[in-house]
Amino acid sequence: MKERWYVTAKKADFQAIGKKFGIDQVTARIIRNRDIVDDDAIRDYLECSPRQLHSPHLLKDAQKGADLLALKIAEGKKIRVIGDYDIDGVNASYILITGLRVLGAQVDHVIPDRVHDGYGMNRGMVVKALEDGVDTIVTCDNGISAAPEIAFAKESGLTVIVTDHHEVPFSLDEQGEKIYQLPAADAIINPKQADCTYPYAGLCGAAVAWKFIQVLYENMGISVERSFEMIAHVAFATVGDVMDLTGENRTLVKLGLQAVHETDNPGLCALISQNKLEKGQIRSWHFGFVLGPCINAGGRLDTARRSLQLLMEPSLEKASQLAKELVELNDRRKNLTLQGLEDAKHLIEEQGLCNDRVLVVYLPQCHESLAGIIAGRIREQYHKPVFVLTNAEDGGVKGSGRSIEAYSMYEEMTKCKDLMTKFGGHPMAAGLSMDKENVETFRRDLNAFCSLTEEDFVEKIHIDVPMPLYYIRTQLIREFERLEPFGKGNEKPVFAVRDVHPLRGNIVGKNKNVLKLALEDGAGGIMDAVYFGDIESFLAFLREKSSSAQVEALLRGEPQQIRFSATYDPSVDTYLGREKVQVIIRHYC
C-alpha cells in the first residue's frame, strides 16, 4: 500500500492562542488542525460540558413519539423493543428498556439473530408480536429501511415508533435526484431525515434512543438528569459503532467516559474486570478495541441477547460469568478472523483481484458474522473499498462492506440495487444479501461504476506537528489528554521527526514482537522508542536504505550511520512506579 505524508499547515497565531487558553503552542496548533478556530469553539472543545448538548426536542417526531408512548404506558399496553445485534443496537436496546421501565412501562425486547433473522425487523417478528399481544413496537438502531415490515405491522393494527440513525433509503429519478422512501411508522426519530432540524446528524442509534428517552422523561414528569445514568452506554455505542467524534458526539463520549470511571453497572464493571482493566483506566480506545469487541462477539458467534443480558444483569456474580463467556467468545472470534483474513488475502492475490478498484471477495466457508471485520482488515492493507461475501443459511449470499473516504459505499450500492435482495448502511460501511449467481456481476458492475482514481488509493498520513524529540515532556503529554476522546473524526495527534538516528536497537517481548530503540534527533534530543508493527519489514527497510552490516551493528548497539524519518505518538511509560517519556513509532520512511 502506498503512503504519502503531508504536514497540516493551517495558519493561526499559536502563541497567542496558547497564552489565552493556558496551553502549549503545539496543543494550539493541533486544535487549529481540527478546524476549531474561534475562541468560543476552542473553549467548547477544551471544556466539553453538558451545556453543549442539543435539545432532544429538535429531533423530528421525538415529541410525537413521546406523546404516543406516554399514552400507551398510561393504558398499560404491551411495548416491545426491537434492537440490533451489534454494540450500538445492544446499548440502544438497554437504554430504551431501562428508560421505559423507569416509567413503569410493560416492556420486553427482541434482538434479531444475525444468522437466522438477519439485520433489523422482519415479518416473523411482527407475527410473533401479534401472537404475544404486543400493542406497540419501538425499534432502535434499525427500522428506517424496514418499509414492507412496518407496513405489515400497521395493517395488522400495531403502533410502530422508529428510532434509528442509518441513511434513509432512496432511489434516483431520471434526473439523478434522490427520492427518499420512509416507512409508514407512527413516528420516525432519525436525524438523517431530510426535514429533521436537529443540528447534528452524526448520532449513533443509542444516542438517538437516549435523546428520545429524555423527551419521554420530560413528558412524564421524570427529571431529565436521570437519563445521564445511561450516558456511559451512549459513549460505548458511539465509539463502538465508529461514529465521528466531532461536535456533540465528542461531548457525549467525554461525558460517558467520565461516567464509566464512576459506574456501578454490574455488567460494565464485570466486563472491565474480565479484561484485566480498572474503571479509571478506560479510554475511548478500550471501548473500540477491547470492551466493544466482547459485546459484538455475542452477536457474531452466539446471540446478542447474552450481551444485552450482561448490561442489564443486577448481580455482579452473574455478570462476571456472562462477561467471562463474552471474553472467551471474543478470543475465538479473533482466531477465526485471522484464518478468514489469510484466506481472503490468498484469494485476492491468486485471482488477481488486487487490480480491481473495488474488492469483492467471496469466502463461502467464512462465518458470516466475521465478514465485516475481515473487510475492514483488507481495507487497511489495500486502502480500497472492500466487500466480503459468504454463504448464508437461506442458500443465498450475505456480506459486509468497509470503505475509504473517497467512496460512498451506500450510494454506490444503489447503482447495483437490482442485484441485491436487501442492503443498507453508511458511506463507510454497509451490509447486503443477494443470490449466489449475482456475485460476479456485482463485482463487475461495482467496478464499472467506480470513479476512483489512483490518487484515491494512496493512504494519506496527515502530520499535525513536526516536533523534535527534545521538545517532548511529561507535562505536554498530559496536556494532550485534554484533546481526548480520540477516534474517527478526532484522531490522535500525529507527530513526526526527520532524519532520526537510532543509537541502539533490541528485539524484545515473549514473542519477539517489539522493537526497542534509542533515538537521537540531531537537535539534542535522545529518547527511547518502541515499534509494535512488522519488525521484519522495518529491518528490511533499514537494510535497503543502509546495509545489512549497519543493521547488525544497530542490533549489537555498535556505531552506525542509519537515518530514517518517523511519525510517532509521545507517551508516558509507567514501570514500577517510575514515569519515563518515550515515543511509539507509527510510520517510517
Side-chain angles (χ1 to χ4, degrees):
M1 182 178 65
K2 296 177 181 177
E3 288 181 356
R4 191 161 293 147
W5 294 15
Y6 299 86
V7 175
T8 305
K10 297 180 179 178
K11 304 296 183 185
D13 188 340
F14 302 117
Q15 276 195 319
I17 293 170
K19 187 175 181 180
K20 180 177 288 187
F21 292 96
I23 56 178
D24 192 277
Q25 60 178 320
V26 169
T27 308
R29 184 186 291 270
I30 294 164
I31 293 172
R32 173 65 187 91
N33 287 348
R34 305 295 180 267
D35 288 323
I36 298 155
V37 180
D38 62 69
D39 286 358
D40 287 342
I42 294 171
R43 192 172 291 109
D44 283 350
Y45 183 82
L46 291 169
E47 181 185 331
C48 230
S49 73
R51 67 175 181 80
Q52 297 167 23
L53 301 178
H54 303 303
S55 167
H57 292 279
L58 296 174
L59 281 164
K60 181 178 182 287
D61 280 3
Q63 189 62 56
K64 181 181 179 184
D67 290 343
L68 268 170
L69 268 189
L71 183 62
K72 301 293 185 181
I73 293 168
E75 293 175 345
K77 301 291 187 184
K78 289 186 72 173
I79 300 165
R80 177 160 294 171
V81 170
I82 297 181
D84 188 29
Y85 41 67
D86 70 356
I87 187 170
D88 192 13
V90 168
N91 279 283
S93 297
Y94 169 83
I95 288 166
L96 281 180
I97 296 161
T98 302
L100 288 168
R101 285 180 178 171
V102 165
L103 296 166
Q106 284 195 59
V107 58
D108 64 12
H109 62 273
V110 168
I111 292 187
D113 183 281
R114 183 188 288 265
V115 175
H116 299 298
D117 297 312
Y119 168 74
M121 181 176 171
N122 61 41
R123 190 181 180 95
M125 292 176 194
V126 177
V127 171
K128 186 71 168 65
L130 292 167
E131 291 172 354
D132 294 344
V134 170
D135 175 88
T136 300
I137 288 173
V138 184
T139 73
C140 54
D141 195 33
N142 76 94
I144 199 69
S145 60
E149 293 80 7
I150 290 174
F152 173 59
K154 291 300 301 168
E155 289 163 8
S156 303
L158 292 173
T159 297
V160 181
I161 297 169
V162 169
T163 75
D164 201 352
H165 75 121
H166 289 93
E167 300 289 338
V168 179
F170 64 85
S171 58
L172 299 174
D173 64 17
E174 293 177 356
Q175 286 72 44
E177 296 293 321
K178 294 178 182 177
I179 303 171
Y180 291 101
Q181 296 149 353
L182 289 166
D186 295 272
I188 301 173
I189 302 133
N190 182 343
K192 296 275 176 61
Q193 295 176 88
D195 56 348
C196 181
T197 60
Y198 197 78
Y200 187 82
L203 299 175
C204 71
V208 174
W210 184 69
K211 293 276 182 176
F212 180 48
I213 286 294
Q214 286 188 315
V215 178
L216 193 56
Y217 274 10
E218 191 174 331
N219 217 26
M220 299 188 68
I222 299 287
S223 170
V224 174
E225 286 300 310
R226 284 203 64 179
S227 69
F228 282 83
E229 295 169 1
M230 300 180 286
I231 197 168
H233 299 273
V234 178
F236 199 2
T238 300
V239 176
D241 212 33
V242 201
M243 309 308 295
D244 282 338
L245 297 191
T246 58
E248 189 173 30
N249 274 350
R250 182 170 172 272
T251 303
L252 287 168
V253 173
K254 191 142 193 170
L255 296 173
L257 283 167
Q258 292 167 6
V260 168
H261 297 161
E262 305 294 329
T263 187
D264 57 2
N265 178 283
L268 276 180
C269 290
L271 190 60
I272 291 166
S273 177
Q274 285 293 328
N275 281 285
K276 298 178 173 54
L277 296 166
E278 301 290 337
K279 289 188 293 187
Q281 289 179 276
I282 303 303
R283 299 288 183 269
S284 54
W285 184 85
H286 297 101
F287 275 164
F289 296 99
V290 181
L291 305 178
C294 296
I295 295 293
N296 277 334
R300 292 186 190 283
L301 300 182
D302 181 43
T303 168
R305 290 189 292 275
R306 192 193 302 252
S307 299
L308 180 57
Q309 184 185 351
L310 170 73
L311 299 183
M312 303 197 70
E313 177 55 57
S315 159
L316 183 58
E317 184 180 351
K318 291 180 181 176
S320 295
Q321 180 58 36
L322 286 166
K324 181 174 181 288
E325 292 167 5
L326 288 172
V327 169
E328 289 170 350
L329 273 174
N330 191 46
D331 289 340
R332 182 177 158 225
R333 188 273 309 163
K334 289 177 187 175
N335 292 331
L336 289 172
T337 299
L338 285 174
Q339 181 59 56
L341 182 59
E342 288 304 311
D343 292 344
K345 284 157 60 177
H346 178 73
L347 199 66
I348 289 168
E349 299 303 326
E350 186 182 66
Q351 297 186 0
L353 298 179
C354 50
N355 298 318
D356 286 355
R357 288 179 292 177
V358 182
L359 299 179
V360 177
V361 185
Y362 180 36
L363 301 174
Q365 305 307 317
C366 174
H367 195 291
E368 65 183 65
S369 69
L370 304 179
I373 303 175
I374 295 169
R377 299 281 178 83
I378 298 170
R379 176 197 57 194
E380 289 171 9
Q381 184 159 346
Y382 291 89
H383 198 65
K384 291 182 176 184
V386 181
F387 290 89
V388 172
L389 309 178
T390 184
N391 285 348
E393 281 202 346
D394 61 7
V397 166
K398 281 186 177 179
S400 292
R402 298 294 182 268
S403 197
I404 59 176
E405 293 292 342
Y407 188 84
S408 180
M409 189 157 266
Y410 179 78
E411 291 207 26
E412 292 297 317
M413 289 170 73
T414 62
K415 299 173 184 177
C416 307
K417 64 180 181 180
D418 293 340
L419 296 173
M420 294 172 281
T421 53
K422 195 173 183 181
F423 73 99
H426 310 288
M428 295 298 290
L432 64 125
S433 301
M434 66 171 62
D435 295 329
K436 282 185 186 178
E437 56 265 28
N438 288 338
V439 169
E440 183 56 29
T441 307
F442 180 66
R443 183 187 74 82
R444 187 188 64 223
D445 286 3
L446 278 177
N447 278 278
F449 290 129
C450 178
S451 59
L452 293 173
T453 65
E454 285 303 313
E455 184 63 25
D456 293 323
F457 302 129
V458 177
E459 184 178 12
K460 297 170 178 64
I461 309 299
H462 293 281
I463 297 163
D464 282 289
V465 186
M467 187 166 70
L469 301 179
Y470 75 83
Y471 199 80
I472 304 169
R473 54 200 184 279
T474 303
Q475 182 183 350
L476 183 61
I477 296 171
R478 298 293 186 219
E479 184 172 292
F480 293 156
E481 293 175 4
R482 298 182 67 184
L483 310 180
E484 295 183 21
F486 298 129
K488 184 171 177 282
N490 188 50
E491 280 78 11
K492 203 170 187 179
V494 178
F495 302 96
V497 60
R498 184 191 297 276
D499 294 333
V500 72
H501 174 47
L503 300 175
R504 57 188 175 275
N506 189 24
I507 299 173
V508 299
K510 181 180 176 182
N511 299 313
K512 296 293 182 183
N513 57 350
V514 179
L515 177 63
K516 297 194 77 170
L517 298 165
L519 300 180
E520 181 182 46
D521 65 6
I526 297 177
M527 187 164 293
D528 287 344
V530 289
Y531 179 65
F532 297 104
D534 185 337
I535 295 173
E536 279 307 310
S537 294
F538 183 45
L539 295 178
F541 157 78
L542 294 181
R543 290 186 186 101
E544 182 184 345
K545 297 303 175 184
S546 53
S547 70
S548 294
Q550 294 269 302
V551 172
E552 292 307 312
L554 167 67
L555 295 176
R556 289 194 300 267
E558 298 172 357
Q560 31 66 35
Q561 277 71 52
I562 294 173
R563 298 287 189 279
F564 64 93
S565 298
T567 69
Y568 66 85
D569 295 336
S571 69
V572 179
D573 181 35
T574 303
Y575 181 69
L576 297 178
R578 295 192 299 270
E579 290 188 342
K580 184 175 68 173
V581 174
Q582 65 177 14
V583 298
I584 301 169
I585 296 171
R586 297 299 183 192
H587 304 268
Y588 53 85
C589 75

